[in-house]
């Protein structure tokens, strides 16, 4: 065996700072830090050049960028199709026999499935014809409620191909969450599956889909047969995927889309209990998804890229589906749990498939740290070149463990900060440039302008904490609106600093070299095992219980999940309950309303929570209580005595 390559070297002077080796610099798309200054001197020119080089356009744009308050657009007048860029062009360029998707089913006795770009082109074209035969037209919305199977990607690409917008709903979301999203988007068709495997057991997804479909605007449902589970099919509405695909033609002309057409909607948690439909437009999204995937992970022909997210999240949209496929590499899709059948499942896949870039979340890394290194020792991970992390701030221990044990001390860790709203990565260290520093995400991607501001809107100095904002001209893949709620769009992102600064809701610090460290959310949004969740969503679910008068949910730091929700529950006057039964009922309500990922780790039944004189719940105080910290100044409270009583309950 040849010695695995060394892609990083330590800084000669600073501890725990790493730089790309010459070898990495040679293969990297970018290896000179002058790119940052150059790109920022003229971001429009930078992005236009990248867009021209990286994406195939049917027609070039008339204007690179336009901006008026709350309305900005890249590549105005440009015409393209996302699916064509992700699939067809590689076939036309002679790469049809290369693998586009490698699918690893969870059951170990099932074979890995490999889909070449030619095959993918046929499948996507066929399904595009199927969607059209079901009445889907350019501009419509298609719901996708699917497990991690290749058909999930095929459904997304086919939707893009016909010019409709997909709204993917995470498969572990409850029927009610599905229904809300289908209603809000007014989806015409839903694509789902009978089920999937999770920790060795088949789960029936169609059952949940059917519940969510009750009373929804969906006219046609297409179900992929994955597990063979018994499912109820409604005459006239329900169709089997394989039956519709059988007769479908592989000939399909992709829809010619405008840059400013809607590519997709993805619902995410905001500050209230109601998730918002984040809108992304075709042109800007294509360019930033393509370029960030290419530069951050140094993607080259033949690479086997694996992002462990779910297609239900933005990470899955951009770095399982569109990003790697637009770059013509192989994307790995794994169906199941990372610890099934044992804790080395991921390492086994890396070894078997020769994965070259691996992208995961800190919560997964922390789970593996707990299991010990023996799970790694059996596996050869020397194919890895670049590691990525995303979703939440990574602590130094997790970073170092990832670096040493997964990367063998050879691979850079690219810590990528971004959001559902930014569509693609925004802050990171480029692999050929570095430096890679634990807990620092790095610099704004070339051509992106970020500022740390104080509450007055003034830039903060080195190591002073500030609010992370993105400055005009905005990143090409930045959110274009909240579906059907323009006032919400304005309020959530632009009310803080006006229309020239997009407000991220994250706090951050900057070091003297311009590297940014993300410190976390400043609003009532939690990050539970990398899943975004508003405290208000959990409160709404709990509030459905007839005996609950009021509730307050806050997050508590957790070793593995990053944060977990803790619920404080106040009962109706005179309510008599068995607290264990009540807790079970509340968990059931959370499962039904949102999904099991939102389950509170603890439910505290209280007679009162601290409130301001105007009656607002002081979540800051509840947060310090669950952390076991001193709650601080209580003089502004209407009921300071409530704090002491809660303290006794928590201990
Ligand atoms: C929030 C966005 C980006 C796709 C997955 C999450 C946090 C994201 C990082 C990172 C520190 C991070 C932020 C952000 N976050 N990446 N590398 N370091 N924090 O997307 O569900 O929209 O959540 O995740 O707080 O605002 P999302």
């Amino acid at each position: 065996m040849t010695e695995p390559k060394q892609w990083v070297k330590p800084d000669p002077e600073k501890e725990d700072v790493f730089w790309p080796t010459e070898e990495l610099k040679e293969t990297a798309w970018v290896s000179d830090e002058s790119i940052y200054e150059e790109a920022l001197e003229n971001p429009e020119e930078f992005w236009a050049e990248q867009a021209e080089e990286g994406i195939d356009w049917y027609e070039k744009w008339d204007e690179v960028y336009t901006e008026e308050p709350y309305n900005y657009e890249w590549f105005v007048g440009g015409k393209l199709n996302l699916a064509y860029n992700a699939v067809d062009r590689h076939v036309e360029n002679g790469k049809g026999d290369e693998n586009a998707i490698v699918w690893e089913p969870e059951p170990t006795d099932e074979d890995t499935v490999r889909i070449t770009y030619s095959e993918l082109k046929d499948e996507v074209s066929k399904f595009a014809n199927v969607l059209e035969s079901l009445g889907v037209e350019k501009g419509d919305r298609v719901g996708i409620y699917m497990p991690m199977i290749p058909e999930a990607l095929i459904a997304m690409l086919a939707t893009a191909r016909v010019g409709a917008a997909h709204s993917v709903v995470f498969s572990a979301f409850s029927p009610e969450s599905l229904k809300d999203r289908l209603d809000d988007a007014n989806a015409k068709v839903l694509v789902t599956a009978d089920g999937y495997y999770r920790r060795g057991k088949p789960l029936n997804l169609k059952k949940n889909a059917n519940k969510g479909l009750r009373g929804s605007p969906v006219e046609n449902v297409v179900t992929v047969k994955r597990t063979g589970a018994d499912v109820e099919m409604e005459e006239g509405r329900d169709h089997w995927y394989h039956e519709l695909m059988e007769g479908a033609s592989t000939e399909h002309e992709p829809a010619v889309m405008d840059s400013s057409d809607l590519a997709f909607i993805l619902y995410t948690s905001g500050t209230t209990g109601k998730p918002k439909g984040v809108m992304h437009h075709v042109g800007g999204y294509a360019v930033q998804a393509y370029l960030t995937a290419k530069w951050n992970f140094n993607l080259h022909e033949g690479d086997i890229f694996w992002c462990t997210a779910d297609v239900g999240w933005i990470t899955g949209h951009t770095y399982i589906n569109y990003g790697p496929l637009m770059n013509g590499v192989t994307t790995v899709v794994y169906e199941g749990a990372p610890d099934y059948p044992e804790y080395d499942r991921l390492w086994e896949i890396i070894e078997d498939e020769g994965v070259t870039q691996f992208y995961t979340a800190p919560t997964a890394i922390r789970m593996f740290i707990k299991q010990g290194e023996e799970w790694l020792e059996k596996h050869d991970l020397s194919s890895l070149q670049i590691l990525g992390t995303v979703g939440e701030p990574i602590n130094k221990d997790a970073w170092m463990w990832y670096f040493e044990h997964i990367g063998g001390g050879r691979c850079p860790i690219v810590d990528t900060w971004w959001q559902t709203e930014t569509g693609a990565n925004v802050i990171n260290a480029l692999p050929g440039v570095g430096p890679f520093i634990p807990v620092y995400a790095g610099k704004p991607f070339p051509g992106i302008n970020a500022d740390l501001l104080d509450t007055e809107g003034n830039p903060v100095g080195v190591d002073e904490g500030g609010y992370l904002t993105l400055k005009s001209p905005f990143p090409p893949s930045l959110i274009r609106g909240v579906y059907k709620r323009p006032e919400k769009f304005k309020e959530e992102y632009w009310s803080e600093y006006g229309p020239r600064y997009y407000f991220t809701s994250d706090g951050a610090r900057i070091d003297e070299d311009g590297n940014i460290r993300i410190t976390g959310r400043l609003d009532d949004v939690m990050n539970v095992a990398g899943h975004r969740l508003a405290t208000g969503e959990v409160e709404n679910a709990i509030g459905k219980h007839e005996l609950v008068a009021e509730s307050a949910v806050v997050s508590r730091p957790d070793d593995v999940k990053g944060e977990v929700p803790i619920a404080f529950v106040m009962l109706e006057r005179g309510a008599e309950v068995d607290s264990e039964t009540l807790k079970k009922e509340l968990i059931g309500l959370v499962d039904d309303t949102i999904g099991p990922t939102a389950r509170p780790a603890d439910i505290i039944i209280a007679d009162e929570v601290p409130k301001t004189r105007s009656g607002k719940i002081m979540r800051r105080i509840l947060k310090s209580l669950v952390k076991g910290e001193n709650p601080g100044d209580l003089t502004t409270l209407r009921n300071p005595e409530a704090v002491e009583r809660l303290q006794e309950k928590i201990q």
Side-chain angles (χ1 to χ4, degrees), residues 366-396:
R366 290 191 296 260
M367 180 191 89
F368 288 117
I369 295 177
K370 289 209 161 185
Q371 306 312 320
E373 279 98 59
E374 67 264 28
W375 295 104
L376 289 160
E377 281 153 15
K378 314 189 237 180
H379 298 286
D380 174 8
L381 304 181
S382 61
S383 59
L384 289 172
Q385 296 172 5
I386 289 171
L387 301 176
T389 162
V390 61
E392 51 181 316
I394 185 165
N395 48 310
K396 186 165 176 191

Side-chain angles (χ1 to χ4, degrees), residues 210-287:
N210 282 349
K211 275 194 215 156
L213 282 161
R214 257 176 239 153
S216 86
V218 170
E219 293 158 15
N220 284 286
V221 180
V222 184
T223 303
V224 175
K225 196 172 231 153
R226 160 66 186 122
T227 58
D230 260 348
V231 298
E232 235 171 87
M233 300 286 274
E234 194 181 290
E235 187 70 42
R237 183 195 74 182
D238 276 313
H239 317 269
W240 285 108
Y241 179 88
H242 59 273
E243 288 177 3
L244 295 179
M245 288 291 270
E246 220 173 62
S249 160
T250 55
E251 296 298 315
H252 183 272
E253 211 40 61
V256 175
M257 304 295 284
D258 260 302
S259 281
S260 58
D261 281 333
L262 183 62
F264 61 85
I265 305 172
L266 184 58
Y267 288 83
T268 191
S269 303
T271 46
T272 62
K274 189 174 151 66
K276 51 197 176 186
V278 171
M279 292 160 70
H280 285 290
H281 286 185
V282 182
Y285 177 76
V287 172

Side-chain angles (χ1 to χ4, degrees), residues 314-315 391-393 415-420 506 521 527 532:
I314 191 70
T315 313
E392 51 181 316
D415 179 351
T416 62
W417 177 89
W418 56 296
Q419 309 176 302
T420 304
D506 273 307
R521 298 286 300 198
N527 202 322
R532 178 162 158 183

Side-chain angles (χ1 to χ4, degrees), residues 6 17 88 124 201 251 313 368 397 504 515 530 595 615:
Q6 189 67 35
V17 173
D88 300 47
V124 172
K201 283 199 217 77
E251 296 298 315
W313 308 105
F368 288 117
D397 287 350
T504 66
N515 295 305

Side-chain angles (χ1 to χ4, degrees), residues 458-525:
N458 302 310
V460 302
V462 167
D463 273 336
E464 290 170 19
Y467 297 87
L468 179 63
T469 65
L470 303 176
K471 201 159 88 177
S472 154
F474 300 112
S477 63
L478 191 65
I479 177 172
R480 291 305 198 281
V482 172
Y483 198 64
K484 294 203 293 212
R485 292 158 83 197
E487 71 302 330
K488 186 81 191 157
F489 177 59
K490 249 162 113 173
E491 179 193 314
E492 291 248 322
Y493 307 106
W494 313 98
S495 59
E496 217 71 29
Y497 297 111
R500 309 256 315 153
Y501 289 90
Y502 165 86
F503 182 57
T504 66
S505 295
D506 273 307
R509 291 167 179 276
I510 191 161
D511 75 3
E512 55 195 9
D513 303 316
N515 295 305
I516 296 174
R517 170 180 186 170
I518 309 293
T519 48
R521 298 286 300 198
L522 302 162
D523 54 10
D524 292 327
V525 168

Side-chain angles (χ1 to χ4, degrees), residues 42-49 51 57 60-78 259-260 281 283-285 288 447-449 470-480 489 494 499-502:
N42 193 339
E44 292 182 25
E45 197 179 282
F46 169 80
W47 285 111
E49 230 170 75
W57 302 82
K60 212 181 139 174
W61 51 89
D62 312 313
E63 259 180 295
V64 182
Y65 182 71
T66 57
E67 184 186 323
E68 49 191 73
Y70 319 112
N71 195 1
Y72 39 91
E73 202 60 73
W74 283 89
F75 318 115
V76 181
S259 281
S260 58
H281 286 185
Y285 177 76
Q288 198 175 327
I448 294 178
N449 222 329
L470 303 176
K471 201 159 88 177
S472 154
F474 300 112
S477 63
L478 191 65
I479 177 172
R480 291 305 198 281
F489 177 59
W494 313 98
R500 309 256 315 153
Y501 289 90
Y502 165 86

